[in-house]
Coordinates of all heavy atoms in Angstrom, one line a residue:
M1 N -20.0 36.4 64.8 CA -20.1 36.8 63.4 C -19.7 35.7 62.4 O -18.8 35.0 62.7 CB -19.2 38.1 63.1 CG -19.3 38.6 61.7 SD -18.4 40.1 61.6 CE -18.3 40.3 59.9
S2 N -20.6 35.5 61.5 CA -20.3 34.4 60.5 C -19.2 34.7 59.5 O -19.1 35.9 59.1 CB -21.6 34.0 59.7 OG -22.6 33.7 60.7
T3 N -18.5 33.8 59.0 CA -17.6 34.0 58.0 C -18.3 34.1 56.7 O -19.5 33.7 56.5 CB -16.5 32.9 57.9 OG1 -17.2 31.7 57.5 CG2 -15.8 32.7 59.2
T4 N -17.6 34.6 55.6 CA -18.3 34.8 54.3 C -18.7 33.4 53.7 O -19.8 33.3 53.2 CB -17.3 35.4 53.4 OG1 -16.8 36.7 54.0 CG2 -17.9 35.7 52.0
D5 N -17.9 32.4 54.0 CA -18.3 31.1 53.4 C -19.6 30.6 54.0 O -20.4 30.0 53.3 CB -17.2 30.0 53.7 CG -15.9 30.3 52.9 OD1 -16.0 30.9 51.8 OD2 -14.8 29.9 53.3
E6 N -19.8 30.8 55.3 CA -21.0 30.4 55.9 C -22.2 31.2 55.4 O -23.3 30.7 55.2 CB -20.9 30.6 57.4 CG -20.0 29.6 58.1 CD -19.7 30.0 59.6 OE1 -20.1 31.0 60.0 OE2 -19.1 29.1 60.2
L7 N -22.0 32.5 55.1 CA -23.1 33.3 54.6 C -23.5 32.8 53.2 O -24.7 32.9 52.8 CB -22.7 34.8 54.6 CG -22.5 35.5 55.9 CD1 -21.8 36.8 55.7 CD2 -23.8 35.5 56.7
V8 N -22.5 32.5 52.4 CA -22.8 32.1 51.0 C -23.3 30.7 50.9 O -24.0 30.3 49.9 CB -21.4 32.2 50.1 CG1 -21.6 31.7 48.7 CG2 -21.0 33.7 50.1
Q9 N -23.0 29.8 51.9 CA -23.4 28.5 51.9 C -24.9 28.2 51.6 O -25.3 27.3 50.9 CB -23.0 27.8 53.2 CG -23.3 26.3 53.2 CD -22.8 25.7 54.6 OE1 -22.3 26.4 55.5 NE2 -22.9 24.4 54.7
D10 N -25.8 29.1 52.1 CA -27.2 28.9 52.0 C -27.8 29.5 50.8 O -29.0 29.4 50.5 CB -27.9 29.5 53.2 CG -27.5 28.7 54.5 OD1 -27.2 27.5 54.4 OD2 -27.6 29.3 55.6
L11 N -27.0 30.2 49.9 CA -27.5 30.8 48.7 C -27.6 29.9 47.6 O -27.0 28.8 47.6 CB -26.5 32.0 48.4 CG -26.5 33.1 49.4 CD1 -25.4 34.1 48.9 CD2 -27.8 33.8 49.5
P12 N -28.4 30.2 46.5 CA -28.5 29.3 45.4 C -27.2 29.1 44.6 O -26.3 29.9 44.7 CB -29.5 30.0 44.5 CG -30.0 31.2 45.2 CD -29.2 31.4 46.4
P13 N -27.1 28.1 43.8 CA -25.8 27.8 43.1 C -25.4 29.0 42.2 O -24.2 29.2 42.1 CB -26.2 26.6 42.2 CG -27.3 25.9 43.0 CD -28.0 27.0 43.6
S14 N -26.4 29.7 41.6 CA -26.0 30.8 40.7 C -25.3 31.9 41.5 O -24.3 32.5 41.0 CB -27.2 31.4 40.0 OG -28.2 31.8 41.0
A15 N -25.7 32.2 42.8 CA -25.1 33.2 43.6 C -23.7 32.7 44.0 O -22.8 33.5 44.1 CB -26.0 33.5 44.8
K16 N -23.6 31.4 44.3 CA -22.3 30.9 44.6 C -21.3 31.1 43.5 O -20.1 31.4 43.6 CB -22.3 29.4 45.1 CG -23.1 29.3 46.3 CD -23.2 27.8 46.7 CE -24.1 27.5 47.9 NZ -24.4 26.1 48.1
L17 N -21.8 30.8 42.2 CA -20.9 30.9 41.1 C -20.5 32.4 40.9 O -19.3 32.7 40.6 CB -21.7 30.4 39.8 CG -20.9 30.6 38.5 CD1 -19.6 29.8 38.5 CD2 -21.8 30.1 37.3
V18 N -21.5 33.3 41.0 CA -21.1 34.7 40.9 C -20.1 35.1 41.9 O -19.1 35.9 41.7 CB -22.4 35.6 40.9 CG1 -22.0 37.1 41.0 CG2 -23.3 35.4 39.7
W19 N -20.3 34.6 43.2 CA -19.3 34.9 44.2 C -17.9 34.4 43.9 O -16.9 35.1 44.1 CB -19.8 34.3 45.5 CG -19.0 34.6 46.7 CD1 -18.8 35.8 47.3 CD2 -18.2 33.6 47.4 NE1 -18.0 35.6 48.4 CE2 -17.6 34.3 48.5 CE3 -18.0 32.3 47.3 CZ2 -16.8 33.7 49.4 CZ3 -17.2 31.6 48.2 CH2 -16.6 32.3 49.3
K20 N -17.8 33.2 43.4 CA -16.5 32.6 42.9 C -15.9 33.4 41.8 O -14.7 33.7 41.8 CB -16.7 31.2 42.6 CG -16.8 30.2 43.7 CD -15.5 30.2 44.5 CE -15.5 29.2 45.6 NZ -14.2 29.4 46.5
V21 N -16.7 33.8 40.8 CA -16.2 34.6 39.7 C -15.6 35.9 40.3 O -14.5 36.4 39.8 CB -17.3 34.9 38.7 CG1 -16.9 36.0 37.7 CG2 -17.7 33.7 37.9
L22 N -16.3 36.6 41.2 CA -15.7 37.8 41.8 C -14.5 37.5 42.7 O -13.6 38.3 42.7 CB -16.8 38.5 42.7 CG -17.9 39.1 41.8 CD1 -19.0 39.6 42.8 CD2 -17.4 40.3 41.0
E23 N -14.5 36.4 43.3 CA -13.3 36.0 44.1 C -12.1 35.8 43.3 O -11.0 36.3 43.6 CB -13.6 34.7 44.9 CG -12.5 34.3 45.8 CD -12.9 33.0 46.6 OE1 -13.4 32.0 46.0 OE2 -12.7 33.0 47.8
Y24 N -12.2 35.2 42.1 CA -11.1 34.9 41.3 C -10.7 36.1 40.4 O -9.5 36.3 40.1 CB -11.4 33.7 40.3 CG -11.4 32.4 41.0 CD1 -12.5 31.6 40.9 CD2 -10.3 32.0 41.9 CE1 -12.5 30.4 41.6 CE2 -10.4 30.8 42.5 CZ -11.5 30.0 42.4 OH -11.5 28.8 43.1
N25 N -11.7 37.0 40.0 CA -11.4 38.0 39.1 C -11.3 39.4 39.7 O -11.0 40.4 39.0 CB -12.4 38.0 37.9 CG -12.3 36.8 37.1 OD1 -11.3 36.5 36.5 ND2 -13.4 36.1 37.1
G26 N -11.7 39.6 40.9 CA -11.8 40.9 41.5 C -13.1 41.6 41.1 O -14.0 41.0 40.7
G27 N -13.0 42.9 41.2 CA -14.2 43.7 40.8 C -14.5 43.7 39.3 O -13.7 43.8 38.5
L28 N -15.8 43.4 39.1 CA -16.3 43.3 37.7 C -17.6 44.0 37.6 O -18.4 44.2 38.6 CB -16.5 41.9 37.3 CG -15.3 40.9 37.3 CD1 -15.8 39.5 37.1 CD2 -14.3 41.3 36.2
T29 N -18.0 44.4 36.3 CA -19.3 45.0 36.1 C -20.3 43.8 35.9 O -19.9 42.7 35.7 CB -19.3 45.8 34.8 OG1 -19.0 45.0 33.7 CG2 -18.3 47.0 34.9
Q30 N -21.5 44.1 35.9 CA -22.5 43.1 35.7 C -22.3 42.4 34.4 O -22.4 41.1 34.3 CB -23.9 43.6 35.8 CG -25.0 42.6 35.8 CD -26.4 43.2 36.2 OE1 -26.5 44.3 36.7 NE2 -27.4 42.5 35.8
K31 N -22.0 43.1 33.3 CA -21.8 42.6 32.0 C -20.6 41.6 32.0 O -20.6 40.6 31.4 CB -21.6 43.7 31.0 CG -21.4 43.2 29.6 CD -21.2 44.4 28.6 CE -21.0 43.9 27.2 NZ -20.9 45.0 26.3
Q32 N -19.5 42.0 32.7 CA -18.4 41.1 32.8 C -18.6 39.9 33.6 O -18.1 38.8 33.2 CB -17.2 41.9 33.4 CG -16.7 43.1 32.6 CD -15.7 44.0 33.3 OE1 -15.9 44.2 34.5 NE2 -14.8 44.6 32.6
I33 N -19.5 40.0 34.6 CA -19.8 38.8 35.3 C -20.7 37.8 34.4 O -20.4 36.6 34.4 CB -20.6 39.1 36.6 CG1 -19.8 39.9 37.5 CG2 -21.2 37.9 37.3 CD1 -20.5 40.6 38.7
V34 N -21.6 38.4 33.7 CA -22.4 37.6 32.7 C -21.4 36.8 31.7 O -21.5 35.6 31.5 CB -23.4 38.4 31.9 CG1 -24.0 37.6 30.7 CG2 -24.5 38.9 32.8
E35 N -20.4 37.5 31.2 CA -19.5 36.9 30.3 C -18.6 35.8 30.9 O -18.4 34.8 30.4 CB -18.5 38.0 29.7 CG -19.3 38.9 28.7 CD -18.4 40.1 28.4 OE1 -17.3 40.3 28.8 OE2 -19.0 41.0 27.6
N36 N -18.2 36.1 32.2 CA -17.3 35.1 32.8 C -18.0 33.9 33.4 O -17.5 32.8 33.4 CB -16.6 35.8 34.0 CG -15.4 36.6 33.5 OD1 -14.5 36.1 32.8 ND2 -15.4 37.9 33.8
S37 N -19.3 34.1 33.8 CA -20.0 33.0 34.4 C -20.9 32.2 33.4 O -21.3 31.1 33.7 CB -21.0 33.6 35.6 OG -22.0 34.4 35.0
R38 N -21.1 32.9 32.3 CA -22.0 32.3 31.3 C -23.5 32.1 31.7 O -24.2 31.3 31.2 CB -21.5 31.0 30.7 CG -20.1 31.2 30.0 CD -19.6 29.9 29.5 NE -18.3 30.2 28.9 CZ -18.0 29.9 27.6 NH1 -18.9 29.3 26.8 NH2 -16.8 30.1 27.2
L39 N -23.8 32.9 32.8 CA -25.2 32.9 33.3 C -26.0 34.0 32.5 O -25.4 34.9 32.0 CB -25.3 33.2 34.8 CG -24.7 32.1 35.7 CD1 -24.6 32.7 37.1 CD2 -25.4 30.8 35.6
S40 N -27.3 33.9 32.5 CA -28.1 35.0 31.9 C -28.0 36.3 32.7 O -27.7 36.3 33.9 CB -29.6 34.6 31.8 OG -30.2 34.6 33.1
Q41 N -28.3 37.4 32.1 CA -28.3 38.7 32.7 C -29.3 38.7 33.9 O -28.9 39.2 35.0 CB -28.8 39.8 31.7 CG -28.7 41.2 32.2 CD -27.4 41.8 32.0 OE1 -26.6 41.3 31.2 NE2 -27.1 42.8 32.8
R42 N -30.4 38.2 33.8 CA -31.4 38.1 34.8 C -30.9 37.3 36.0 O -31.1 37.7 37.2 CB -32.7 37.6 34.3 CG -33.8 37.6 35.3 CD -35.1 37.1 34.7 NE -36.2 37.0 35.7 CZ -37.4 36.7 35.4 NH1 -37.7 36.3 34.2 NH2 -38.3 36.7 36.4
T43 N -30.3 36.2 35.7 CA -29.8 35.3 36.8 C -28.7 36.0 37.6 O -28.6 35.9 38.8 CB -29.3 34.0 36.2 OG1 -30.4 33.4 35.5 CG2 -28.8 33.1 37.3
V44 N -27.8 36.7 36.8 CA -26.7 37.4 37.5 C -27.2 38.5 38.3 O -26.8 38.8 39.5 CB -25.7 37.9 36.4 CG1 -24.7 38.9 37.1 CG2 -24.9 36.7 35.8
R45 N -28.2 39.3 37.8 CA -28.8 40.4 38.6 C -29.4 39.8 39.9 O -29.2 40.4 41.0 CB -29.9 41.0 37.7 CG -30.5 42.3 38.4 CD -31.3 43.1 37.4 NE -32.3 42.3 36.8 CZ -32.4 42.1 35.4 NH1 -31.5 42.6 34.7 NH2 -33.4 41.3 34.9
D46 N -30.2 38.7 39.8 CA -30.8 38.1 41.0 C -29.7 37.7 42.0 O -29.8 37.9 43.2 CB -31.7 37.0 40.6 CG -32.3 36.3 41.8 OD1 -33.0 37.0 42.6 OD2 -32.0 35.1 42.1
A47 N -28.6 37.0 41.5 CA -27.5 36.5 42.3 C -26.9 37.7 43.0 O -26.5 37.6 44.2 CB -26.5 35.7 41.5
L48 N -26.6 38.8 42.3 CA -26.0 40.0 42.9 C -26.8 40.6 44.0 O -26.4 41.0 45.1 CB -25.6 41.0 41.8 CG -24.5 40.7 40.9 CD1 -24.4 41.6 39.7 CD2 -23.2 40.6 41.7
D49 N -28.2 40.6 43.7 CA -29.1 41.1 44.8 C -29.0 40.3 46.1 O -28.9 40.8 47.2 CB -30.5 41.1 44.3 CG -30.8 42.2 43.2 OD1 -30.0 43.2 43.2 OD2 -31.8 42.1 42.5
R50 N -29.0 39.0 45.9 CA -28.9 38.1 47.1 C -27.5 38.2 47.8 O -27.5 38.2 49.0 CB -29.1 36.6 46.6 CG -30.5 36.3 46.2 CD -30.6 34.9 45.6 NE -31.9 34.5 45.1 CZ -32.8 33.9 45.8 NH1 -32.6 33.5 47.0 NH2 -34.0 33.7 45.2
L51 N -26.5 38.3 47.0 CA -25.2 38.5 47.6 C -25.0 39.8 48.4 O -24.4 39.9 49.4 CB -24.0 38.4 46.5 CG -23.8 37.0 46.0 CD1 -23.1 37.1 44.7 CD2 -23.2 36.1 47.0
Q52 N -25.7 40.9 47.8 CA -25.6 42.2 48.5 C -26.5 42.1 49.8 O -26.1 42.7 50.8 CB -26.2 43.3 47.6 CG -25.2 43.6 46.5 CD -25.8 44.7 45.6 OE1 -26.1 45.8 46.0 NE2 -25.9 44.3 44.3
Q53 N -27.6 41.4 49.8 CA -28.4 41.3 51.0 C -27.7 40.5 52.0 O -27.9 40.7 53.2 CB -29.7 40.5 50.6 CG -30.7 41.4 49.8 CD -32.0 40.6 49.4 OE1 -32.0 39.4 49.6 NE2 -32.8 41.3 48.7
A54 N -26.8 39.6 51.6 CA -26.0 38.8 52.6 C -24.8 39.5 53.0 O -24.0 39.1 53.8 CB -25.6 37.4 52.0
D55 N -24.6 40.7 52.5 CA -23.4 41.6 52.8 C -22.1 41.0 52.5 O -21.1 41.1 53.2 CB -23.5 42.0 54.3 CG -24.6 43.0 54.6 OD1 -24.9 43.8 53.8 OD2 -25.1 42.9 55.8
V56 N -22.0 40.2 51.4 CA -20.8 39.7 50.9 C -20.3 40.3 49.7 O -19.1 40.1 49.2 CB -20.9 38.1 50.8 CG1 -21.1 37.5 52.1 CG2 -21.9 37.7 49.8
V57 N -21.1 41.1 49.0 CA -20.7 41.9 47.8 C -21.1 43.3 48.0 O -22.2 43.7 48.5 CB -21.5 41.3 46.6 CG1 -21.3 42.2 45.4 CG2 -20.9 39.9 46.3
E58 N -20.2 44.2 47.5 CA -20.4 45.6 47.5 C -20.6 46.1 46.1 O -20.0 45.6 45.2 CB -19.2 46.4 48.1 CG -19.0 46.0 49.6 CD -17.7 46.7 50.1 OE1 -16.9 47.1 49.3 OE2 -17.6 46.7 51.3
K59 N -21.3 47.2 46.0 CA -21.5 47.9 44.7 C -20.9 49.2 44.7 O -21.2 50.0 45.6 CB -23.1 47.9 44.3 CG -23.4 48.6 43.1 CD -24.9 48.5 42.7 CE -25.8 49.2 43.6 NZ -27.2 49.2 43.2
D60 N -20.1 49.5 43.8 CA -19.4 50.9 43.6 C -19.7 51.4 42.2 O -20.1 50.7 41.3 CB -17.9 50.8 43.9 CG -17.6 50.5 45.3 OD1 -18.3 51.0 46.2 OD2 -16.6 49.8 45.5
I61 N -19.3 52.6 42.0 CA -19.4 53.3 40.7 C -18.2 52.7 39.9 O -17.1 52.7 40.3 CB -19.3 54.8 40.8 CG1 -20.5 55.3 41.6 CG2 -19.2 55.4 39.4 CD1 -20.5 56.8 41.9
Y62 N -18.5 52.4 38.6 CA -17.5 51.9 37.7 C -17.0 53.2 37.0 O -17.6 53.8 36.2 CB -18.1 51.0 36.7 CG -17.1 50.4 35.7 CD1 -16.0 49.7 36.1 CD2 -17.4 50.5 34.3 CE1 -15.1 49.2 35.2 CE2 -16.5 49.9 33.4 CZ -15.4 49.3 33.8 OH -14.5 48.7 32.9
I63 N -15.8 53.6 37.3 CA -15.2 54.9 36.9 C -15.2 55.1 35.3 O -15.6 56.1 34.9 CB -13.8 55.1 37.5 CG1 -13.8 55.1 39.0 CG2 -13.1 56.4 37.0 CD1 -14.7 56.2 39.6
P64 N -14.7 54.1 34.6 CA -14.7 54.3 33.1 C -16.1 54.6 32.5 O -16.2 55.2 31.4 CB -14.1 53.0 32.6 CG -13.4 52.4 33.7 CD -14.1 52.8 34.9
D65 N -17.1 54.1 33.1 CA -18.5 54.3 32.6 C -19.4 54.4 33.8 O -19.9 53.3 34.3 CB -18.9 53.1 31.7 CG -20.3 53.3 31.0 OD1 -20.9 54.3 31.3 OD2 -20.7 52.5 30.2
A66 N -19.8 55.6 34.2 CA -20.5 55.8 35.4 C -22.0 55.2 35.3 O -22.7 55.1 36.3 CB -20.6 57.3 35.7
R67 N -22.4 54.8 34.1 CA -23.7 54.2 34.0 C -23.7 52.7 34.5 O -24.8 52.2 34.7 CB -24.2 54.2 32.5 CG -24.3 55.6 31.9 CD -24.6 55.5 30.4 NE -23.4 54.9 29.8 CZ -23.2 54.7 28.5 NH1 -24.2 54.8 27.7 NH2 -22.1 54.2 28.0
Q68 N -22.6 52.2 34.7 CA -22.4 50.8 35.2 C -22.0 50.8 36.6 O -21.4 51.8 37.1 CB -21.5 50.0 34.3 CG -21.9 49.9 32.9 CD -20.9 49.1 32.1 OE1 -20.5 48.0 32.5 NE2 -20.5 49.6 31.0
N69 N -22.2 49.7 37.2 CA -21.7 49.5 38.6 C -20.6 48.5 38.6 O -20.5 47.6 37.8 CB -22.8 49.0 39.5 CG -23.9 50.1 39.8 OD1 -23.5 51.2 40.0 ND2 -25.2 49.7 39.6
L70 N -19.7 48.7 39.6 CA -18.6 47.7 39.8 C -18.9 46.9 41.0 O -19.2 47.4 42.1 CB -17.3 48.4 40.0 CG -16.0 47.5 40.2 CD1 -15.7 46.9 38.9 CD2 -14.9 48.4 40.7
Y71 N -18.9 45.6 40.9 CA -19.3 44.7 42.0 C -18.0 44.0 42.5 O -17.2 43.5 41.7 CB -20.3 43.6 41.6 CG -21.6 44.2 41.2 CD1 -21.9 44.6 39.9 CD2 -22.6 44.4 42.2 CE1 -23.1 45.2 39.6 CE2 -23.8 45.0 41.8 CZ -24.0 45.4 40.5 OH -25.2 46.0 40.2
R72 N -17.8 44.0 43.8 CA -16.6 43.3 44.4 C -17.0 42.7 45.7 O -18.0 43.1 46.3 CB -15.5 44.3 44.5 CG -15.7 45.5 45.3 CD -14.6 46.5 45.3 NE -14.9 47.8 45.9 CZ -14.7 48.0 47.2 NH1 -14.1 47.1 47.9 NH2 -15.0 49.1 47.7
L73 N -16.2 41.8 46.2 CA -16.4 41.1 47.4 C -16.2 42.1 48.6 O -15.3 42.9 48.6 CB -15.5 39.9 47.6 CG -15.7 38.8 46.6 CD1 -14.7 37.7 46.9 CD2 -17.1 38.3 46.5
S74 N -17.1 42.0 49.6 CA -16.9 42.8 50.8 C -15.8 42.2 51.6 O -15.7 40.9 51.7 CB -18.1 42.8 51.6 OG -19.3 43.4 50.9
L75 N -15.0 43.0 52.3 CA -13.9 42.4 53.1 C -14.4 42.1 54.5 O -15.2 43.0 55.0 CB -12.7 43.5 53.2 CG -12.0 43.7 51.9 CD1 -10.9 44.7 52.1 CD2 -11.3 42.5 51.4
D76 N -14.1 41.0 55.0 CA -14.3 40.8 56.4 C -13.4 41.7 57.2 O -12.4 42.2 56.8 CB -14.0 39.3 56.8 CG -14.9 38.3 56.1 OD1 -16.1 38.8 55.8 OD2 -14.6 37.2 56.0
E77 N -13.8 41.8 58.5 CA -12.9 42.7 59.4 C -11.5 42.2 59.4 O -10.5 42.9 59.4 CB -13.6 42.7 60.8 CG -14.8 43.5 60.9 CD -15.4 43.5 62.3 OE1 -14.6 43.3 63.2 OE2 -16.6 43.8 62.4
E78 N -11.3 40.9 59.6 CA -10.0 40.3 59.6 C -9.2 40.5 58.3 O -8.0 40.9 58.4 CB -10.1 38.8 59.9 CG -10.7 38.4 61.2 CD -10.9 36.9 61.4 OE1 -10.4 36.1 60.5 OE2 -11.5 36.5 62.4
E79 N -9.9 40.4 57.2 CA -9.2 40.6 55.9 C -8.8 42.1 55.8 O -7.8 42.4 55.3 CB -10.1 40.2 54.8 CG -10.4 38.7 54.7 CD -11.4 38.3 53.7 OE1 -12.0 39.2 53.0 OE2 -11.7 37.1 53.5
A80 N -9.7 43.0 56.2 CA -9.4 44.4 56.1 C -8.2 44.8 57.0 O -7.4 45.6 56.5 CB -10.6 45.2 56.6
E81 N -8.1 44.2 58.2 CA -7.0 44.5 59.0 C -5.7 43.9 58.4 O -4.7 44.6 58.4 CB -7.2 43.8 60.4 CG -8.2 44.5 61.2 CD -8.5 43.7 62.5 OE1 -7.7 42.8 62.9 OE2 -9.5 44.1 63.2
T82 N -5.7 42.7 57.8 CA -4.6 42.2 57.2 C -4.1 43.0 56.0 O -2.9 43.3 55.8 CB -4.9 40.7 56.7 OG1 -5.3 40.0 57.8 CG2 -3.6 40.1 56.1
E83 N -5.1 43.5 55.2 CA -4.8 44.3 54.1 C -4.1 45.6 54.5 O -3.2 46.1 53.9 CB -6.1 44.6 53.3 CG -5.8 45.3 52.0 CD -7.1 45.4 51.1 OE1 -7.5 44.3 50.6 OE2 -7.6 46.5 51.0
S84 N -4.7 46.2 55.6 CA -4.1 47.5 56.1 C -2.7 47.3 56.6 O -1.8 48.1 56.4 CB -5.0 48.0 57.2 OG -6.3 48.3 56.8
E85 N -2.4 46.2 57.3 CA -1.1 45.9 57.8 C -0.1 45.7 56.6 O 1.0 46.1 56.6 CB -1.1 44.7 58.6 CG -1.8 44.9 60.0 CD -2.0 43.6 60.7 OE1 -1.6 42.5 60.2 OE2 -2.7 43.6 61.8
A86 N -0.6 45.1 55.5 CA 0.3 44.8 54.4 C 0.6 46.2 53.7 O 1.7 46.3 53.2 CB -0.4 43.9 53.4
E87 N -0.3 47.1 53.6 CA -0.1 48.4 53.0 C 0.9 49.1 53.8 O 1.8 49.8 53.3 CB -1.4 49.1 52.9 CG -2.4 48.6 51.8 CD -3.7 49.3 51.7 OE1 -3.9 50.2 52.5 OE2 -4.5 48.9 51.0
V88 N 0.8 49.1 55.1 CA 1.7 49.8 56.0 C 3.1 49.3 55.9 O 4.1 50.0 55.8 CB 1.2 49.7 57.5 CG1 2.3 50.2 58.4 CG2 -0.1 50.5 57.7
A89 N 3.2 47.9 55.7 CA 4.5 47.3 55.6 C 5.2 47.7 54.3 O 6.4 47.8 54.2 CB 4.3 45.8 55.7
L90 N 4.4 47.9 53.3 CA 5.0 48.3 51.9 C 5.5 49.8 52.0 O 6.3 50.1 51.2 CB 3.9 48.2 50.9 CG 3.5 46.7 50.6 CD1 2.4 46.7 49.5 CD2 4.8 45.9 50.0
D91 N 4.9 50.6 52.8 CA 5.3 52.0 52.9 C 6.5 52.3 53.6 O 7.4 51.9 54.0 CB 4.2 52.9 53.6 CG 2.9 53.0 52.7 OD1 3.0 52.8 51.5 OD2 1.9 53.2 53.3

């Protein structure tokens, strides 16, 4: 299985930028990604589509406004296990 970095490596620069914006800021709406990346709406939409096809970004419902979607990075299996262990340790 490839790491996330390897999957993103072959994507266009705009998709890499969107991925980095999500990496630094966590889950964001498409509008928030446009504001943070300074890319056009169309470019962000295309980048998000490519990132979702590569299975490195997930789309969820944005609770404050269900008309929008929340985009966040998908967790690798190793990252998910580490996160689960950290949650158990806190309990």
Side-chain angles (χ1 to χ4, degrees):
M1 183 173 164
S2 300
T3 64
T4 305
D5 290 335
E6 292 171 350
L7 294 171
V8 174
Q9 182 177 4
D10 295 331
L11 295 176
S14 58
K16 292 176 186 175
L17 176 59
V18 169
W19 182 69
K20 280 295 184 186
V21 167
L22 290 172
E23 184 178 43
Y24 289 126
N25 296 300
L28 297 172
T29 64
Q30 189 171 339
K31 183 178 179 181
Q32 293 168 329
I33 295 169
V34 168
E35 291 170 358
N36 283 304
S37 67
R38 298 183 182 232
L39 296 171
S40 72
Q41 183 83 21
R42 183 177 179 181
T43 302
V44 169
R45 185 171 51 243
D46 180 60
L48 287 169
D49 287 342
R50 290 174 185 262
L51 289 165
Q52 287 177 59
Q53 289 173 357
D55 290 327
V56 294
V57 168
E58 298 176 342
K59 176 171 68 170
D60 289 325
I61 296 172
Y62 183 56
I63 300 297
D65 184 357
R67 297 173 293 175
Q68 297 182 48
N69 292 312
L70 183 70
Y71 296 92
R72 58 188 171 91
L73 298 181
S74 301
L75 293 177
D76 290 338
E77 289 179 19
E78 294 173 8
E79 292 173 358
E81 289 176 11
T82 304
E83 188 173 289
S84 298
E85 291 171 2
E87 289 175 3
V88 170
L90 291 176
D91 291 334

